[in-house]
């Protein structure tokens, strides 16, 4: 299908593809496929290498990101791990953000400790610091994450790609927080996009999954070969569930964002709140870049209540917001980064990353915005009384 917008084409991925005429693509659970004769495989042979259910999701992700091909993995980290094992070796330098997602940081840290690559961390939102970092040790792979977690720092993907390409590096963007609805990194010069589809793409907090989308066919094929070699590819049922979630991605993202803007407004007007981080705010340091490179500001919001006690009082009796890690589901979640998502960092590392004891991070869900605002306001009122 070549006509229609990328959204329409992704939305229709696999529809009416079944020879039996089912409108929605069937779920193929078979682990293996019969050969027609010796040396005559059909289109599929063994489901780890490829299977029709995963192909539908790969097609939709490729279309949404505007790439040449995609690999669907069993988790977001499976996608990042596939990239690391395909594109770099022991003599190659990888640059990741100093405030990378904890699992990403641990993956690259362990691979470097075990001699698989050389690791450098750098503040990729600071282009002068990044240029100095690239000059000191030219990288083969640069891994950006924008907006970042939990302070929603914005990296200028076009400027970073131009800088990295001058050193011949491959640029990867983790697009988990925006989804392809709000940001398409390949349009800003990046070479690869990675997703934890566990988050917004599936969107219902009931599947773990990941995806890599490549700008060119040769890299997509190399990544697919290595994902199969490493055993990182996703199971059919997970891919089918994720595709079911993806069909409503755009309306969900729009409602997530509209609810988030209501939450941001309630937070900025409340005396218990010392600071709010959301790229929609004109005083957010990345606001101008976000306006340029994103089509929406997203639904992750962080705010500081000053002390751990105030943060505790705010979250303890919330009715419509669960105290939990992860993000991007239909249900609202709140996390305390210092003790939860970023709890493995040392207090010094937390302080360097700007993570304070009063900081809370909210993944704004799809409940009625009025209910979320009332619930959160009651929590903020409790925080003022501690
Ligand atoms: C969750 C997450 C990951 C890791 O994905 P998993 O599916 O949990 O393996 C990577 N990057 C970001 C930004 C994430 O939020």
């Amino acid at each position: 299908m070549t006509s229609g917008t990328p959204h329409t084409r992704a939305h229709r991925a696999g529809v009416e593809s079944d020879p039996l005429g089912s409108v929605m693509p069937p779920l193929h659970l078979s682990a293996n496929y019969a050969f027609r004769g010796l040396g005559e495989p059909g289109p599929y042979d063994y489901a780890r290498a490829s299977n029709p259910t995963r192909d539908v999701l790969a097609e939709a992700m490729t279309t949404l990101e505007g790439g040449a091909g995609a690999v669907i993995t069993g988790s977001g980290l499976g996608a990042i791990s596939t990239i690391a094992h395909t594109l770099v070796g022991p003599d190659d330098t990888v640059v990741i953000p100093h405030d990378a997602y904890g699992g990403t940081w641990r993956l690259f840290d362990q691979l470097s400790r075990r001699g698989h690559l050389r690791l450098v961390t750098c503040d990729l939102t600071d282009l002068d610091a990044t240029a100095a970092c690239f000059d000191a040790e030219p990288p083969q792979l640069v891994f950006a994450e924008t907006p970042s977690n939990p302070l929603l720092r914005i990296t200028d993907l076009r400027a970073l790609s131009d800088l990295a390409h001058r050193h011949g590096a491959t640029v990867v963007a983790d697009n988990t927080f925006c989804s392809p609805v709000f940001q398409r990194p390949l349009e800003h010069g990046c070479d690869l996009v990675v997703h934890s589809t566990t988050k917004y793409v599936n969107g219902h907090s009931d599947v773990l999954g990941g995806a890599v989308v490549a700008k060119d066919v040769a890299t997509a094929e190399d990544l697919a070969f290595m994902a199969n070699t490493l055993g990182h590819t996703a199971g059919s049922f997970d891919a089918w569930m994720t595709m079911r979630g993806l069909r409503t991605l755009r309306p969900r993202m729009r409602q997530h964002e509209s609810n988030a803007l209501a939450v941001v407004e309630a937070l900025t007007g409340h005396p218990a709140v010392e600071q709010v981080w959301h790229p929609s705010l004109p005083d957010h340091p990345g606001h101008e870049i976000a306006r340029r490179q994103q089509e929406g500001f997203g639904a992750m919001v962080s705010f500081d209540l000053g002390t751990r006690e105030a943060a505790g009082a705010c979250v303890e009796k919330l009715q419509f917001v669960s105290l939990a890690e992860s993000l991007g589901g239909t249900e609202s979640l709140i996390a305390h980064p210092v003790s939860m998502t970023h709890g493995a960092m040392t207090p010094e590392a937390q302080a360097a990353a700007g993570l304070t004891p009063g900081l809370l991070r909210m993944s704004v869900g799809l409940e009625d915005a009025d209910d979320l605002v009332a619930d959160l306001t009651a929590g903020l009122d409790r925080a003022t009384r501690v």
Side-chain angles (χ1 to χ4, degrees), residues 92-172:
D92 295 333
T93 296
V94 177
V95 177
I96 68 169
H98 67 312
D99 57 352
Y101 169 76
T104 300
W105 184 86
R106 183 175 59 197
L107 169 67
F108 283 107
D109 179 57
Q110 284 299 321
L111 290 177
S112 84
R113 284 173 195 277
R114 291 160 199 253
H116 293 282
L117 51 85
R118 297 162 62 87
L119 179 63
V120 171
T121 59
C122 175
D123 179 358
L124 299 179
T125 66
D126 178 341
L127 285 171
D128 292 334
T130 304
C133 165
F134 289 178
D135 285 339
E137 197 169 322
Q140 270 65 43
L141 188 74
V142 177
F143 189 96
E145 216 180 275
T146 183
S148 74
N149 178 17
L151 295 183
L152 308 162
R153 295 188 178 107
I154 306 291
T155 300
D156 184 333
L157 292 175
R158 170 60 63 187
L160 178 70
S161 297
D162 288 349
L163 196 59
H165 287 156
R166 263 180 251 145
H167 290 276
T170 299
V171 181
V172 188

Side-chain angles (χ1 to χ4, degrees), residues 11-354:
H11 191 79
R12 297 280 304 182
V15 170
E16 282 190 53
S17 61
D18 174 26
L20 293 180
S22 70
V23 172
M24 299 316 286
L27 164 56
H28 292 280
L29 288 171
S30 189
N32 44 8
Y33 294 81
F35 283 57
R36 292 170 188 136
L38 291 189
E40 287 181 71
Y44 298 96
D45 49 32
Y46 188 57
R48 174 168 23 77
S50 65
N51 73 64
T53 304
R54 217 163 55 217
D55 281 357
V56 173
L57 178 58
E59 177 195 327
M61 289 302 293
T62 301
T63 303
L64 285 178
E65 289 289 6
V71 180
I72 303 301
T73 53
S75 69
L77 280 178
I80 299 168
S81 171
T82 300
I83 293 171
H85 284 99
T86 305
L87 297 181
V88 289
D91 297 327
D92 295 333
T93 296
V94 177
V95 177
I96 68 169
H98 67 312
D99 57 352
Y101 169 76
T104 300
W105 184 86
R106 183 175 59 197
L107 169 67
F108 283 107
D109 179 57
Q110 284 299 321
L111 290 177
S112 84
R113 284 173 195 277
R114 291 160 199 253
H116 293 282
L117 51 85
R118 297 162 62 87
L119 179 63
V120 171
T121 59
C122 175
D123 179 358
L124 299 179
T125 66
D126 178 341
L127 285 171
D128 292 334
T130 304
C133 165
F134 289 178
D135 285 339
E137 197 169 322
Q140 270 65 43
L141 188 74
V142 177
F143 189 96
E145 216 180 275
T146 183
S148 74
N149 178 17
L151 295 183
L152 308 162
R153 295 188 178 107
I154 306 291
T155 300
D156 184 333
L157 292 175
R158 170 60 63 187
L160 178 70
S161 297
D162 288 349
L163 196 59
H165 287 156
R166 263 180 251 145
H167 290 276
T170 299
V171 181
V172 188
D174 185 330
N175 200 23
T176 299
F177 272 35
C178 274
S179 91
V181 173
F182 286 157
Q183 178 170 267
R184 287 170 303 281
L186 302 183
E187 292 175 2
H188 303 294
C190 298
D191 304 293
L192 297 169
V193 187
V194 64
H195 282 276
S196 168
T197 56
T198 311
K199 318 294 168 51
Y200 289 107
V201 171
N202 175 60
H204 294 73
S205 303
D206 50 11
V207 183
L208 283 171
V212 193
V213 182
K215 191 172 67 179
D216 68 277
V217 177
T219 309
E221 284 174 354
D222 200 19
L223 288 164
F225 169 77
M226 281 306 289
N228 179 40
T229 299
L230 293 160
H232 288 175
T233 49
S236 305
F237 184 65
D238 287 357
W240 185 83
M241 288 279 280
T242 304
M243 189 60 218
R244 192 172 189 274
L246 184 148
R247 292 188 202 276
T248 56
L249 179 62
R250 190 164 67 168
R252 278 190 287 110
M253 290 312 290
R254 289 178 172 168
Q255 192 61 45
H256 274 296
E257 185 184 42
S258 144
N259 285 6
L261 293 175
V263 163
V264 166
E265 193 186 333
L267 288 167
T268 47
H270 198 283
V273 181
E274 296 194 350
Q275 197 173 346
V276 183
W277 287 268
H278 191 252
S280 68
L281 293 168
D283 65 354
H284 185 285
H287 175 71
E288 284 307 322
I289 303 167
R291 275 180 50 157
R292 218 169 47 232
Q293 87 185 2
Q294 300 176 201
E295 277 172 40
F297 294 114
M300 297 301 296
V301 181
S302 293
F303 54 101
D304 196 342
L305 298 181
T307 63
R308 187 189 172 104
E309 290 67 35
C314 175
V315 301
E316 78 185 358
K317 290 193 192 111
L318 292 174
Q319 288 185 66
F320 307 127
V321 187
S322 300
L323 180 62
E325 296 185 358
S326 198
L327 59 112
T330 60
E331 75 295 355
S332 285
L333 300 173
I334 203 158
H336 182 236
V338 164
S339 66
M340 295 168 65
T341 50
H342 296 67
M345 290 166 81
T346 61
E348 296 73 38
Q350 289 180 343

